[in-house]
C-alpha cells in the first residue's frame, strides 16, 4: 500500500489549494478526485465567468456577510486574504477586473482560466493527482485516521484533508460524503440546507419572460403582507419562478418566512422614481400617443419581450386608444410597474443551490489550523465547513483561505 504525508480528498477550489500549498511546504501529497477532471464546479461559477473573490480587503469587513460564523474565518483570511488570491492568479497570467459590489472576475471572463491555473499549480507543486478515484471510506487506526479506501485501492497517509464540498449541484460531484465521514468520526454536522436558491412562484407566466434580465429593480419580500427583506439590483424570471443575485441573497430569509405564513415579493421595475413621479411619466406617454392603440404605446417604458405580458396582466384592451384609458386603468398599470405582486410557493432544492448552508460544525474544528478537534490528523477546507455567505465572491474566498491554511498546517505537522 502506497503511503503519503498528506492525502487531500476532493479537487475543487479548496482541495487544489490545500494540496498545492502542502506540497510547496515539502510534503508528499496525494490528491484524490472522483470526477475525471478537477474543478467541475469552478467551471460553472459566476455563470462561467467565476467571481473568484471580493475586493473588500479588510478581513474584519470581509467576514460580515458570513453572519455570526464569520469570525471563525479570520485566521484563514489573515493567512491568505483577498490580495493574496488576486496576486496568485494575476502572477499566473490571469488578469482580473473588479465589478459592481466588489465582485472580482478574470478580465477575459472565463472560469476555465481559473481552473487551468489551479491544475498547473497542483502539477508544478509536485502533487500526485488521481482522478476518477472515489473515496469510499476512511479507515481509523485507534483515534487517528490511517488510510482511505477508494475505487482504485487503499492509500495510507500521516494526515488527511477533507475538501469534498457540500450537496449543491450534485452533478459536479458533491454528494455530501464529507458530512457522513465527519459525523462518523464524532463531529457535529449542522444540518445541510440548500442556500442561495431561486424562488418558485405561483404565477404561471414566468416562463414567457425568462430570458430577460431585470436590471436595477427592487424586490421587497413580505410575510403576510409585512415587508421583511428588500434588495436592489439584478434578477430574472425562471421557468417556474424568479432568480438572480438579489433573489438568491434573500432566499434563506424567504425559506424561513415560508414556515410562518404567506410570502409575496413586490417587484418594483422603476425603483429610481417614486409612484407619483412615475404616474406623471405614464400620463405623458399616454398623452403623446393619444391616438395610438394602447398595445403600441409601452415601447418606451418596457423591453419589447415584456409588453405582451404587461398588456395581459393589465386587463386593458390593447386596441383601446390611449386617450380613452381611464384613471383606474392607469392606476392598475402603475401597480404593475411599481409593485408587481408575485406569490412564492417554495424555494429550489440542492439541485439548483449555489451553496450548502450548514456543514461540519465550527466548534469541532480548530479554525487557527483547520484541524479537527476530534481526530488529530484530520483537517477540513472549503464548503464542507459550516460557513456560507451571499453572492459576491465570498464563498470562493472562503475556499482559497481555508484550503491554504489546511494545506500549510497539515504539511507543517
Ligand atoms: C452554479 C454555481 C455558481 C457559483 N458561483 C460562484 C461565484 O461566482 N463565486 C463564488 O464565490 N462562489 C460561487 N459558487 C460557490 C462555489 O462554487 C463553492 O463555494 C466552491 O466551489 C466550493 O469549493 P470546494 O472546493 O469546497 O468544493 P467543490 O468545488 O464542490 O469540490 C469538491 C470536490 O470533491 C469531490 N469529491 C466529493 N466526494 C468525493 C469522494 N468521495 N471521493 C473523491 N472526490 C470527491 C467532488 O467531485 C468535487 O470535485 C457557485 C456555486 C454554484 C453551484
Amino acid at each position: 500500500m502506497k503511503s503519503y504525508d498528506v492525502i487531500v480528498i476532493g479537487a475543487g477550489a479548496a482541495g487544489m489549494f490545500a494540496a498545492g500549498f502542502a506540497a510547496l511546504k515539502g510534503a508528499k501529497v496525494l490528491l484524490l478526485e472522483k470526477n475525471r477532471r478537477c474543478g467541475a464546479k469552478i467551471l460553472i461559477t459566476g455563470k462561467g465567468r467565476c467571481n473568484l473573490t471580493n475586493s473588500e480587503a479588510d478581513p474584519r469587513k470581509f467576514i460580515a456577510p458570513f453572519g455570526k460564523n464569520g469570525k471563525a474565518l479570520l485566521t484563514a483570511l489573515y493567512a491568505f486574504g483577498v490580495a493574496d488570491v488576486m496576486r496568485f492568479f494575476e502572477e499566473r497570467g490571469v488578469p482580473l477586473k473588479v465589478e459592481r459590489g466588489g465582485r472580482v472576475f478574470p478580465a477575459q471572463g472565463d472560469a476555465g482560466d481559473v481552473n487551468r491555473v489551479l491544475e498547473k499549480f497542483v502539477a508544478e507543486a509536485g502533487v500526485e493527482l488521481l482522478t476518477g478515484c472515489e473515496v469510499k471510506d476512511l479507515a481509523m487506526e485507534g483515534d487517528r485516521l490511517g488510510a482511505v479506501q477508494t475505487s482504485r485501492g487503499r492509500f495510507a497517509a500521516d494526515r488527511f484533508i477533507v475538501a469534498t464540498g457540500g450537496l449543491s449541484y450534485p452533478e459536479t460531484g458533491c454528494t455530501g460524503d464529507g458530512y457522513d465521514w465527519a459525523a462518523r468520526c464524532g463531529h457535529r454536522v449542522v444540518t445541510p440546507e440548500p442556500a442561495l436558491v431561486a424562488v418558485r412562484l405561483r404565477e404561471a407566466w414566468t416562463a414567457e419572460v425568462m430570458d430577460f434580465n431585470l436590471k436595477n429593480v427592487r424586490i421587497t419580500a413580505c410575510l403576510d403582507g409585512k415587508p421583511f427583506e428588500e434588495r436592489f439590483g439584478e434578477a430574472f424570471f425562471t421557468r417556474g419562478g424568479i432568480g438572480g443575485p438579489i433573489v438568491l441573497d434573500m432566499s434563506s430569509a424567504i425559506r424561513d418566512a415560508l414556515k410562518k405564513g404567506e410570502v409575496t415579493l413586490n417587484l418594483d421595475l422603476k425603483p429610481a422614481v417614486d409612484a407619483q413621479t412615475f404616474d406623471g411619466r405614464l400620463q405623458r406617454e399616454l398623452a403623446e400617443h393619444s391616438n395610438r392603440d394602447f398595445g403600441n404605446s409601452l415601447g418606451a417604458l418596457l423591453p419589447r419581450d415584456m409588453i405582451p405580458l404587461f398588456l395581459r396582466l393589465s386587463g386593458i384592451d390593447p386596441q383601446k386608444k390611449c386617450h380613452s384609458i381611464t384613471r383606474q386603468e392607469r392606476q392598475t398599470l402603475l401597480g404593475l410597474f411599481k409593485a408587481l405582486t408575485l406569490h412564492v410557493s417554495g424555494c429550489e432544492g440542492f439541485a439548483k443551490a449555489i451553496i450548502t448552508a450548514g456543514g461540519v460544525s465550527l466548534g469541532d474544528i480548530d479554525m487557527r489550523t483547520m484541524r479537527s478537534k476530534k481526530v488529530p490528523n484530520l483537517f477540513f477546507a472549503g464548503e464542507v465547513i459550516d460557513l456560507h455567505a451571499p453572492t459576491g465572491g465570498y464563498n470562493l474566498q472562503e475556499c482559497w483561505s481555508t484550503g491554504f491554511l489546511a494545506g500549510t498546517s497539515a504539511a507543517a505537522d
Side-chain angles (χ1 to χ4, degrees):
M1 179 170 56
K2 263 184 142 180
S3 186
Y4 296 84
D5 295 327
V6 179
I7 287 180
V8 181
I9 312 171
M16 284 194 272
F17 242 52
F21 281 107
L24 286 186
K25 286 264 173 202
K28 185 180 172 199
V29 182
L30 175 66
L31 174 59
L32 302 173
E33 168 55 52
K34 71 173 164 191
N35 291 332
R36 275 196 304 195
R37 267 202 72 185
C38 303
K41 189 166 273 177
I42 292 170
L43 296 174
I44 58 167
T45 53
K47 289 191 182 156
R49 295 201 303 135
C50 190
N51 173 198
L52 55 95
T53 187
N54 187 283
S55 65
E56 175 53 71
D58 177 351
R60 296 227 152 248
K61 290 190 183 148
F62 191 95
I63 58 170
F66 287 85
K68 65 178 179 9
N69 284 357
K71 245 176 131 180
L73 188 58
L74 268 181
T75 309
L77 271 176
Y78 280 118
F80 204 92
V82 170
D84 301 308
V85 169
M86 293 180 70
R87 200 174 315 113
F88 177 90
F89 286 102
E90 290 192 316
E91 278 177 1
R92 287 166 175 79
V94 181
L96 304 174
K97 63 173 173 179
V98 182
E99 295 189 5
R100 185 179 49 82
R103 292 166 157 82
V104 179
F105 291 90
Q108 304 297 325
D110 185 359
D113 289 343
V114 172
N115 208 34
R116 273 186 288 280
V117 163
L118 292 169
E119 288 176 318
K120 194 158 175 254
F121 168 61
V122 162
E124 287 177 355
V127 172
E128 195 178 317
L129 169 67
L130 210 51
T131 54
C133 177
E134 180 173 0
V135 174
K136 302 279 190 190
D137 208 356
L138 310 187
M140 296 293 288
E141 280 173 11
D143 66 344
R144 293 170 68 83
L145 266 177
V148 287
Q149 190 60 51
T150 80
S151 55
R152 296 180 64 179
R154 195 175 164 92
F155 302 95
D158 284 339
R159 285 137 276 156
F160 296 83
I161 301 174
V162 170
T164 44
L167 275 163
S168 50
Y169 275 73
E171 71 269 24
T172 61
C174 306
T175 44
D177 300 6
Y179 301 139
D180 298 340
W181 302 328
R184 271 195 280 128
C185 299
H187 302 82
R188 199 166 81 80
V189 175
V190 178
T191 308
E193 285 209 52
L196 301 185
V197 288
V199 161
R200 287 195 295 272
L201 298 175
R202 294 218 186 92
E203 282 71 21
W205 47 257
T206 58
E208 291 172 39
V209 282
M210 66 184 233
D211 290 326
F212 177 71
N213 250 7
L214 302 167
K215 282 205 173 130
N216 302 326
V217 296
R218 180 183 295 126
I219 296 183
T220 309
C222 303
L223 169 62
D224 296 329
K226 285 205 193 90
F228 63 90
E229 283 271 345
E230 186 177 279
R231 292 281 192 290
F232 171 85
E234 197 179 321
F236 51 81
F237 289 108
T238 64
R239 190 169 297 285
I242 187 164
I246 59 174
V247 176
L248 300 190
D249 286 345
M250 287 195 287
S251 60
S252 291
I254 291 172
R255 184 189 304 280
D256 289 346
L258 277 168
K259 291 171 194 157
K260 299 177 194 150
E262 163 101 25
V263 179
T264 49
L265 303 179
N266 264 338
L267 171 62
D268 183 348
L269 289 167
K270 305 285 177 187
V273 286
D274 62 27
Q276 205 184 350
T277 313
F278 190 70
D279 190 29
R281 170 99 200 268
L282 267 181
Q283 290 183 45
R284 283 196 303 279
E285 279 303 318
L286 293 171
E288 202 173 303
H289 304 124
S290 63
N291 286 322
R292 249 198 223 173
D293 289 351
F294 171 64
N296 296 329
S297 69
L298 294 177
L301 297 173
L302 272 178
R304 205 154 40 100
D305 296 355
M306 285 192 82
I307 292 176
L309 172 72
F310 253 60
L311 292 175
R312 216 170 63 237
L313 294 179
S314 73
I316 305 171
D317 176 1
Q319 270 148 21
K320 192 169 184 176
K321 296 293 174 204
C322 286
H323 61 71
S324 25
I325 298 289
T326 65
R327 188 169 187 280
Q328 175 84 47
E329 286 170 330
R330 208 183 69 234
Q331 289 305 312
T332 306
L333 206 51
L334 184 62
L336 292 179
F337 277 103
K338 291 293 294 171
L340 178 56
T341 304
L342 306 166
H343 299 84
V344 178
S345 61
C347 292
E348 294 294 348
F350 281 119
K352 290 274 172 263
I354 299 292
I355 196 96
T356 305
V360 182
S361 169
L362 300 176
D364 288 344
I365 303 172
D366 177 350
M367 293 297 290
R368 292 166 307 177
T369 56
M370 307 314 300
R371 184 200 299 271
S372 156
K373 290 182 182 170
K374 303 285 178 187
V375 181
N377 64 337
L378 174 62
F379 298 75
F380 293 98
E383 193 175 330
V384 71
I385 299 169
D386 180 22
L387 277 171
H388 76 284
T391 59
Y394 301 101
N395 291 302
L396 274 172
Q397 178 66 48
E398 185 260 327
C399 294
W400 312 127
S401 296
T402 57
F404 172 86
L405 191 54
T408 48
S409 308
D413 218 23

